[in-house]
Amino acid sequence: YAGIGKGTFYDYFSDKEDILNEVVSLMFSDWMEVMIQKVGQAENPTQQLQVILREGSSLGAQFEQLMIIYMDVWRWSVSQKVSVEINDKFKSFLEENRRILTGIIRNAQEQGQLKLNIDADVLATSLIALIDGFCLHQMILKPDFDTFAISDKFFELLLVGIKNVM
């Protein structure tokens, strides 16, 4: 109970779609804020990638209710059951994450930490999909899904293939 009347509530939101739009905006900005803070603590681009994979995958637990909404918005977006505005926000969120990851990967390549022949866009897109999958698994399989252990092991295996060996 919010302590306000229905009429007052609709002074701020015109309809249910408007409410969902606001929830989606808050969800994406909260997630980005947490990730930017965590990535800022890493010392180099390779560590930033590990933080993104590890912490991004664990946010399913921290933001479990928002992850449920995220999955619903993803499903509605695919089936075109949301407004163009919400669909565009979802696409922008994914594109912004891909852009940030691609930049980190290219920075790691420039610093000689990762192989130069790695397609940064493909790797970034793959990591985003992996994070989504880890979050989903963590939410469904908790407490038996050790997100940190699995994401750390995966990153270790990934580095074998992409790390620049001098």
Side-chain angles (χ1 to χ4, degrees), residues 1-10 12:
Y1 181 69
I4 61 171
K6 186 177 181 179
T8 303
F9 185 79
Y10 282 104
Y12 296 96

Side-chain angles (χ1 to χ4, degrees), residues 99-119:
R99 186 190 64 73
I100 290 168
L101 275 169
T102 299
I104 292 170
I105 293 163
R106 287 187 178 136
N107 193 13
Q109 289 172 316
E110 290 168 5
Q111 291 183 20
Q113 296 173 356
L114 300 181
K115 293 176 183 176
L116 291 174
N117 66 344
I118 300 293
D119 186 321

Side-chain angles (χ1 to χ4, degrees), residues 23-86:
V23 168
V24 167
S25 294
L26 291 171
M27 174 179 65
F28 290 158
S29 65
D30 286 352
W31 194 91
M32 288 297 287
E33 185 178 310
V34 168
M35 289 306 299
I36 288 169
Q37 184 264 332
K38 290 178 183 277
V39 168
Q41 297 171 0
E43 294 179 18
N44 63 54
T46 304
Q47 287 177 349
Q48 289 176 336
L49 290 174
Q50 184 172 16
V51 166
I52 288 169
L53 181 59
R54 186 176 214 271
E55 299 297 330
S57 297
S58 73
L59 287 178
Q62 183 177 346
F63 292 118
E64 187 166 337
Q65 293 303 312
L66 292 178
M67 282 304 300
I68 292 168
I69 294 168
Y70 176 86
M71 293 299 174
D72 282 341
V73 170
W74 178 84
R75 182 174 49 90
W76 295 330
S77 183
V78 168
S79 64
Q80 300 176 342
K81 292 184 178 179
V82 292
S83 70
V84 172
E85 185 178 5
I86 292 174

Side-chain angles (χ1 to χ4, degrees), residues 13-28:
F13 303 102
S14 58
D15 55 23
K16 291 176 186 175
E17 187 86 17
D18 196 23
I19 297 167
L20 180 60
N21 189 28
E22 184 64 24
V23 168
V24 167
S25 294
L26 291 171
M27 174 179 65
F28 290 158

